[in-house]
Amino acid sequence: MTPIKSPLAPRADAADLVKDIDLKGQTAVVTGGASGLGIETVRALLGAGARVIMPVRDTARGEQVARDLAQATGNSDVHVLHLDLSSLASVRQAAREILALAPQIRMLINNAGVMATPQGQTADGFETQFGTNHLGHFQLTRLLLPALMAAAPARVVSLSSSAHRLSDIHWDDPNFRATPYDPWQAYGQSKTANALFAAELNRRYADQGVTANAVHPGGIMTGLQKHMPEGEAQRRGWIDENGAPHPAFKTPAQGASTSIWAATAPELDGVGGLFLEDLQQSTPLDETNPNPMFGYKLHALDADSARRLWTLSEDLIDQTGK
């Protein structure tokens, strides 16, 4: 089977993906829309005429971004509300507010996230990255499913990363309670979880009109790196001694393009359960390549793991009573 590709080049800006698409009358929800890739994702959607809801942790910043984007795009149909993905109580309240605003949601882009944080726990006792990046979005999406199904065909986009290659799910200890904590192992686990969640969501709900895909946006220097010392970023080759990003890195507008493609492209109508990157369907990683820039590890889309993670996630959330 030939992989699905966008007709545009991999480094196209997000706005280029929707220049011929009319999203008027459609509602999109973008988590983390007040910074980094989220800003460019919201910009592209507003520019195409969509109504956009921005659940963000910092509402003051979110309101300023919303005003700026409304002025830049000429579309003022953008709404900001509070969401802290590290708190299930906040997730539930945000979902109530979103559903009150939008009984139908055509696109849900789970964009927000944290990376390589110091060891810590969410308000509900989960490891910070697993709890925020995966469980927060898992619960938000489940609560918004009625609006997604009401808008069918609807799409869910789950932001993963090439860092999924760093770790499968730590099935016996996903919260690093006994396992020595490594921030990159924890981040990798959360990004694998994001991909598995999309795969299982698609399996469960595609026949009800809700498809889901995982997206690796590429390397982009944004606020996501705030927990990484500059020296570590240099050692990893992400920036040079002057702080300039590696040439392989994308701009935020380029990094948001695969999310926008996943949410809007006609060639992805009814298509889900994929790992997408560089405006195309990804393929299994070439393990013989010492420095692979493209491809996913098989554990990220393993069907049995996807089912298992869904059940584990439900159990973990149910144990909190939230």
Side-chain angles (χ1 to χ4, degrees):
M1 177 177 168
T2 304
I4 302 170
K5 294 185 178 183
S6 165
L8 299 185
R11 286 182 175 265
D13 284 352
D16 295 336
L17 273 295
V18 287
K19 65 181 180 180
D20 297 319
I21 295 178
D22 184 359
L23 298 179
K24 292 184 180 68
Q26 299 187 24
T27 297
V29 176
V30 181
T31 66
S35 62
L37 300 182
I39 292 175
E40 298 305 325
T41 302
V42 174
R43 186 194 307 277
L45 293 169
L46 287 174
R51 179 193 196 206
V52 181
I53 298 173
M54 293 170 50
V56 298
R57 187 167 49 186
D58 184 341
T59 53
R61 179 173 180 173
E63 293 286 2
Q64 183 59 59
V65 168
R67 287 192 292 270
D68 292 345
L69 292 179
Q71 182 175 15
T73 63
N75 182 355
S76 60
D77 202 356
V78 55
H79 307 266
V80 176
L81 55 88
H82 181 256
L83 168 65
D84 180 352
L85 287 162
S86 68
S87 162
L88 292 176
S90 177
V91 169
R92 188 169 292 280
Q93 176 61 29
R96 283 194 290 263
E97 294 180 23
I98 293 169
L99 291 171
L101 280 170
Q104 294 188 8
I105 297 169
R106 185 63 66 87
M107 295 159 277
L108 170 59
I109 302 178
N110 290 327
N111 167 81
V114 294
M115 182 179 77
T117 60
Q119 186 168 17
Q121 293 183 338
T122 68
D124 304 287
F126 305 122
E127 187 277 317
T128 298
Q129 299 183 80
F130 185 72
T132 302
N133 296 347
H134 169 58
L135 290 174
H137 279 128
F138 174 85
Q139 183 68 337
L140 179 68
T141 305
R142 287 203 303 166
L143 294 172
L144 297 183
L145 271 168
L148 288 161
M149 289 188 286
R155 301 187 191 184
V156 176
V157 180
S158 182
L159 269 286
S160 184
S161 165
S162 61
H164 78 274
R165 302 171 187 171
L166 299 175
S167 179
D168 199 345
I169 305 300
H170 292 240
W171 296 108
D172 295 328
D173 190 18
N175 292 301
F176 287 81
R177 292 190 175 126
T179 307
Y181 181 73
D182 179 277
W184 290 104
Q185 282 282 308
Y187 182 60
Q189 173 184 242
S190 74
K191 294 292 102 178
T192 291
N194 291 148
L196 290 173
F197 170 54
E200 180 63 5
L201 181 69
N202 188 77
R203 187 188 72 82
R204 288 173 177 249
Y205 293 99
D207 63 354
Q208 298 178 61
V210 180
T211 54
N213 287 298
V215 163
H216 165 41
I220 308 101
M221 295 304 293
T222 66
L224 189 65
Q225 290 85 14
K226 66 183 179 181
H227 294 292
M228 178 188 290
E230 184 174 322
E232 182 177 355
Q234 289 178 349
R235 287 192 298 274
R236 289 179 176 271
W238 291 11
I239 59 173
D240 63 21
E241 63 275 8
N242 298 314
H246 188 282
F249 275 45
K250 299 177 180 179
T251 67
Q254 293 168 343
S257 64
T258 303
S259 293
I260 292 295
W261 182 60
T264 66
E267 56 266 30
L268 290 170
D269 284 346
V271 177
L274 305 180
F275 194 97
L276 309 175
E277 57 181 318
D278 285 345
L279 295 182
Q280 58 191 293
Q281 179 183 350
S282 187
T283 53
L285 183 69
D286 178 4
E287 300 280 3
T288 66
N289 187 337
N291 187 30
M293 296 296 291
F294 186 86
Y296 65 90
K297 280 201 169 184
L298 296 179
H299 68 239
L301 292 183
D302 181 81
D304 290 338
S305 292
R307 293 185 183 92
R308 184 180 180 187
L309 179 64
W310 188 285
T311 300
L312 173 64
S313 302
E314 287 181 324
D315 290 345
L316 289 171
I317 290 172
D318 287 349
Q319 288 167 19
T320 70
K322 298 176 183 178

